[in-house]
Amino acid sequence: MMFHAGTLSAELARAEQDYLDRTPRSAAAQARAARVLPGGNTRSSLWAAPYPLSITGGSGCRITDADGHEYVDFLGEFTAGIYGHTCSELEQALTEAHRGGFGLSSHTPYEAELAEELAARFPSIDLLRFANSGTEANIMALTAARLVTGRERIVVFAGGYHGGVLTFGSGNSPVNMPFEFAVLPYNDLRAAEREFTASGDRIAAVLVEPMQGAGGCVVGTPDFLQGLHSLCNESGALLIFDEVQTARMAPGGAQERLGITPDMTTLGKIFGGGLAFGAFGGSAAVMGRFDPSHPDAIPHAGTFNNNRLTMAAGLEAVRRHLTPEALQALFARGEAFREALNARFAARGGAFHVTGMGSIMNIHAVAEDAEVRRDRLRLLHLRMMERGYYFAPRGLIALSFPLGEAERAGFLDALDTVLAAGGANSEA
Ligand SMILES: Cc1ncc(COP(=O)(O)O)c(C=O)c1O
């Protein structure tokens, strides 16, 4: 379906009406859910007005909505879905673990094996502990830093996202953990230096994403990240790299690419092989404080910390899917795709541009006016969905292993069609 000529707002109104017309079953699913879930929602990041799609199934890199429309999924479960939506090897590993008994009331061999694999990959990790989410991993890493250093203050960065209760998109959030946060501008080493000059002896940790994922795929400059490393070293604070998203950039994560070894690393998303996962690790000196055989050990309990199914799926994922070759190749595909997107956007007037690293990227609308930016992206998103290409309303794209050459070429062609139709390029 082509755009009619017209202004951005008129095109957007048309696209929104088209969305309502083609997704009545998603509307009905939303209405039903809203009777028992506030706003029909139990995961804030999925909300998009008028209602998000109700997805009823998926296979490989494709998903299907309640009205039977198929989409090529370029969102990849907000980066956690690197394996696509079905994977026979993961299914088999899970089935075997399930058959062997799950919830076995104690340790099982899987957890040490998965820990060995991860510790071998990340130079910053001698010892690690498992948790149930990236959020929990970050909470525990910060808690460890506060207890080990005996300090309270935590440096984070505007636009940073470290979990539902550690979110700094617009300053400190009312639902955040009640820690003493200093929220500094990202990629601004001078501001960090000033903070350390003023409060260096009170800073327990600096928590930073090597690339701000939810913040719009803003890549940390090597100078900034290296500078933070030096500031932490000099002051005795711990540098924590949140690699919940960026771990996929290389076998040893973004820290391997950067050649920086932080004091602690937090992980999540992909290492659970599709199941809920988190992990935090660091030096033996810091992480050894959790050794429960010591009388003053830091406690860290959790029924599902060593969930046998998660550990089994994670082990299969790390050993057979997240191989160095597969991760390097995915990184290269991502770099090439981002360049191709930027070339298409530039050729069509530069109304959008794409930032990111490797296989994770974000489309941004370019305009002086914030409303124009918002409407442009919304129109692009709706029209791309109509053509069967799915990514986050905020512009996030995360490539998965099963997304092939044909799907990526198809996305670029669909983009051309949408941009050629106008509307998304116009001003008002
Ligand atoms: C960089 C980063 N850290 C932490 C988290 C939180 O992970 P989870 O959603 O598993 O709690 C996320 C989730 O998107 C993330 O992107």
Side-chain angles (χ1 to χ4, degrees):
M1 191 185 157
M2 299 293 288
F3 280 143
H4 308 285
T7 63
L8 174 57
S9 48
E11 285 297 344
L12 182 55
R14 260 192 285 273
E16 285 172 336
Q17 188 57 52
D18 291 343
Y19 180 81
L20 297 176
D21 291 344
R22 63 191 284 280
T23 59
R25 291 206 172 92
S26 284
Q30 161 75 19
R32 178 180 176 178
R35 290 201 281 272
V36 280
L37 298 166
N41 179 283
T42 185
R43 181 177 169 192
S44 301
S45 46
L46 292 183
W47 170 249
Y51 49 82
L53 288 178
S54 173
I55 300 296
T56 50
S59 174
C61 63
R62 290 181 160 71
I63 52 176
T64 306
D65 74 12
D67 289 281
H69 306 113
E70 191 178 88
Y71 305 86
V72 184
D73 182 11
F74 277 75
L75 178 51
E77 185 58 311
F78 291 78
T79 79
I82 198 170
Y83 315 100
H85 302 296
T86 42
C87 173
S88 54
E89 293 94 347
L90 289 175
E91 184 185 337
Q92 198 182 329
L94 269 169
T95 306
E96 272 168 28
H98 195 286
R99 287 209 180 113
F102 59 97
L104 296 183
S105 313
S106 190
H107 295 284
T108 78
Y110 285 126
E111 64 216 53
E113 285 181 59
L114 181 55
E116 281 165 8
E117 293 284 348
L118 295 178
R121 285 175 177 229
F122 292 87
S124 57
I125 298 182
D126 297 333
L127 298 173
L128 66 146
R129 292 182 70 87
F130 294 116
N132 298 283
S133 66
T135 305
E136 207 183 309
N138 281 314
I139 292 170
M140 289 310 300
L142 292 177
T143 301
R146 290 166 77 236
L147 293 173
V148 167
T149 60
R151 302 172 180 178
E152 291 292 329
R153 200 166 167 82
I154 291 160
V155 172
V156 291
F157 298 95
Y161 182 79
H162 307 283
V165 293
L166 293 166
T167 166
F168 304 96
S170 41
N172 200 353
S173 151
V175 299
N176 275 353
M177 295 292 290
F179 294 157
E180 180 190 328
F181 291 113
V183 186
L184 307 185
Y186 190 64
N187 272 340
D188 183 344
L189 186 57
R190 296 283 98 64
E193 285 168 350
R194 284 194 295 276
E195 165 67 21
F196 271 84
T197 303
S199 316
D201 57 348
R202 296 182 48 245
I203 297 173
V206 173
L207 176 60
V208 65
E209 297 159 87
M211 172 184 76
Q212 289 192 326
C217 294
V218 183
V219 180
T221 65
D223 283 354
F224 172 65
L225 296 167
Q226 187 61 58
L228 293 179
H229 191 231
S230 305
L231 289 171
C232 286
N233 271 350
E234 286 155 19
S235 75
L238 300 185
L239 178 64
I240 307 171
F241 268 14
D242 177 342
E243 294 239 38
V244 168
Q245 284 204 18
T246 55
R248 62 158 67 189
M249 299 303 168
Q255 58 194 263
E256 180 186 316
R257 285 195 172 273
L258 287 158
I260 300 173
T261 304
D263 299 293
M264 297 189 78
T265 298
T266 56
L267 303 172
K269 298 200 189 268
I270 58 175
F271 294 111
L275 278 70
F277 180 87
F280 60 103
S283 67
V286 172
M287 291 302 295
R289 290 287 303 275
F290 287 91
D291 178 347
S293 65
H294 291 182
D296 62 345
I298 305 172
H300 167 230
T303 305
F304 287 107
N305 282 359
N306 66 333
N307 181 266
R308 193 161 180 272
L309 301 184
T310 309
M311 298 292 118
L315 193 58
E316 170 70 20
V318 172
R319 285 191 176 152
R320 269 180 260 294
H321 295 274
L322 303 175
T323 61
E325 301 71 39
L327 290 174
Q328 304 292 3
L330 185 66
F331 184 90
R333 287 202 290 280
E335 290 284 297
F337 188 59
R338 194 180 72 246
E339 274 168 32
L341 285 171
N342 274 327
R344 299 285 168 119
F345 284 134
R348 293 277 178 195
F352 298 90
H353 80 112
V354 189
T355 58
M357 188 199 288
S359 56
I360 303 178
M361 61 205 80
N362 208 106
I363 301 175
H364 303 268
V366 182
E368 288 280 309
D369 188 284
E371 264 181 49
V372 172
R373 286 201 298 274
R374 186 200 59 203
D375 288 355
R376 264 189 191 165
L377 186 58
R378 183 155 166 68
L379 180 56
L380 183 78
H381 179 250
L382 288 168
R383 290 305 194 204
M384 286 298 283
M385 279 209 292
E386 213 172 86
R387 281 165 179 76
Y389 292 92
Y390 187 81
F391 57 94
R394 69 171 190 247
L396 175 68
I397 288 175
L399 302 187
S400 62
F401 289 136
L403 257 180
E405 178 63 41
E407 285 84 14
R408 296 195 301 281
F411 189 102
L412 293 171
D413 289 347
L415 203 61
D416 264 343
T417 312
V418 168
L419 294 174
N425 291 7
S426 58
E427 277 299 332

